[in-house]
Amino acid sequence: MNPLKKIFFLIAFLPAYLFAGAQNDLNIETIFQNHGKQKGAILIELAKDVLGGHTQISRYKSLILPSDTGVIKATTNAIRQDLKNGKVLMENKKDGKIETGYYCLEKQDSPDYEYILFTDKSRKITLIYLRGKFPPDQLESELNKLKDLFIKVNNKHIKL
Amino acid sequence: MKKVLFLIGILSLATAVLAQEEEKSNILFDGSSYNFLFSWKKKPAESHWTGLTFAFSGLNGLDKENVDLRLNRSYSIDLNLIDYNVPLHYHWLFVTGLGFDWSRYHFKGDVGLQDFNGTSRFLPDSEGRSYRDSKLLVYYATIPLILEYQKKVGKRKTFFINGGVEGLINLYSKSQVEARTSRNGIEKIAYKDLNILPVNFRLVLRTGFDDFGIFGYYQPYSMFQKGKGPELSSFGIGIALH
């Protein structure tokens, strides 16, 4: 094949490889897809149309579910698989089970950091995926900015 | 074959671009998608205490001394330099800081405030001279403990109202008279050690929009030590620039 054509195809396929969605490759995406539409679930996806200009978080996805042993096990397994060479930022355990966990995934060839947050408290599971151009030491600061975001859905106020 | 490969390449590129653009916000409750409204609210970060104020001042209790105040020449100027704010809620703020108050009171008549046997009193001139001017100057450092409420009005303006207590630390005070001498001259005589309380407080209230407000204060207790001076407490109303 003509070398120019080879270069063209490489350039054409490269964005697809880079932007196919770092999140789409994650095991936790299965949890979002399998349980995001079930009864009792609240799935919130926020992108730059809401987040832009107020926080460095470019993508926020959270799932709140009633606590269920099967879902908890699947979620913690998915997190473990996605974590690979990533970093455990904080993990609180109770009776051997993870009650709260903050994780930073291994950085890919992208300026973005990816985080997974998990809590299993008060009979509810919360799974959060975050993406943004901020390092782990700024995670708490960026999460605090979300406290200023007020969402009104169906006459109910949601605070993140 | 070349055309097919070319189309695949273009399609891949387009998919990548669209994948980025397709990220939109969405909320699902029990599997159903809902429209939603959102707003970003920030806790107030700046107070409306620092700045400059000018107030016309009065003295409660002066009538008991049979002395009148020259209202148009009695005023206080405040320069509030530093504030420290603690946001309490999305509209509320606690404020403290440091400022300075320069108060002056001009009196009518031929009496001046001076020390007499350890007590400050309004007394005429010892030589019976008339006075061109008689005034009391009191300078304080001020430390506020104030609550402020702020609310956006329209797109750009912010309404505020704040009030509370300002601690007063007396830095300097003196009474000064300008006595007319027999040779048509003027002699300035100053009296210090007037038994003014070193620490006092006043109630303050400020309201307005953005950088401009109306300011008022009231001192519930006398500025003099008990039994060592007239029962005079200050009050004032004026404008504030922030």
Side-chain angles (χ1 to χ4, degrees), chain B residues 42-49 83-96 145-150 158 160-163:
Chain B
K42 281 200 173 165
K43 289 179 184 171
E46 288 183 7
S47 74
H48 293 84
W49 186 78
D83 66 352
Y84 177 74
N85 307 312
V86 179
L88 298 175
H89 199 254
Y90 292 97
H91 295 290
W92 292 93
L93 200 60
F94 170 77
V95 185
T96 187
L145 295 172
I146 277 170
L147 267 180
E148 178 165 320
Y149 174 83
Q150 293 181 7
T158 302
F160 70 90
I161 181 165
N162 66 45

Side-chain angles (χ1 to χ4, degrees), chain A residues 40 45 49 131 148 150 152, chain B residues 23 25-26 30 37 39 41:
Chain A
E45 292 181 83
D49 55 339
R131 187 172 74 223
D148 295 337
F150 288 79
K152 195 173 178 184
Chain B
E23 285 189 345
S25 300
N26 189 32
D30 289 343
L37 297 170
S39 61
K41 290 184 186 179

Side-chain angles (χ1 to χ4, degrees), chain B residues 46-62:
Chain B
E46 288 183 7
S47 74
H48 293 84
W49 186 78
T50 52
L52 198 63
T53 69
F54 175 88
F56 283 107
S57 302
L59 286 171
N60 272 333
L62 209 53

